[in-house]
Amino acid sequence: MEAPFDATSWEGISGAIYAGFGSAELFWIALCYLCVLIAVILGWKHEKHAYDTAKNGQ
């Protein structure tokens, strides 16, 4: 993992440091969004099935 600065001690560090710099963060964000999308779709299908079952009295 690379850092966006050249320093040999914490004394040379100032300002905000972005922890995701130089990593594959975009991949993990996309993977998280995909997992959320799958959860929403599966939850929607489950709720539709439960609603239809309750509506028909089965």
Side-chain angles (χ1 to χ4, degrees):
M1 191 162 154
E2 296 182 23
F5 49 81
D6 294 322
T8 57
S9 71
W10 285 109
E11 299 298 321
I13 309 300
S14 63
I17 300 170
Y18 182 54
F21 183 81
S23 67
E25 186 179 12
L26 184 60
F27 168 75
W28 292 111
I29 290 174
L31 186 63
C32 289
Y33 279 133
L34 181 62
C35 288
V36 168
L37 180 64
I38 290 170
V40 167
I41 290 170
L42 292 177
W44 170 70
K45 290 177 83 174
H46 176 269
E47 289 296 317
K48 184 178 182 325
H49 174 71
Y51 178 78
D52 291 343
T53 301
K55 185 178 173 184
N56 295 332
Q58 295 178 353

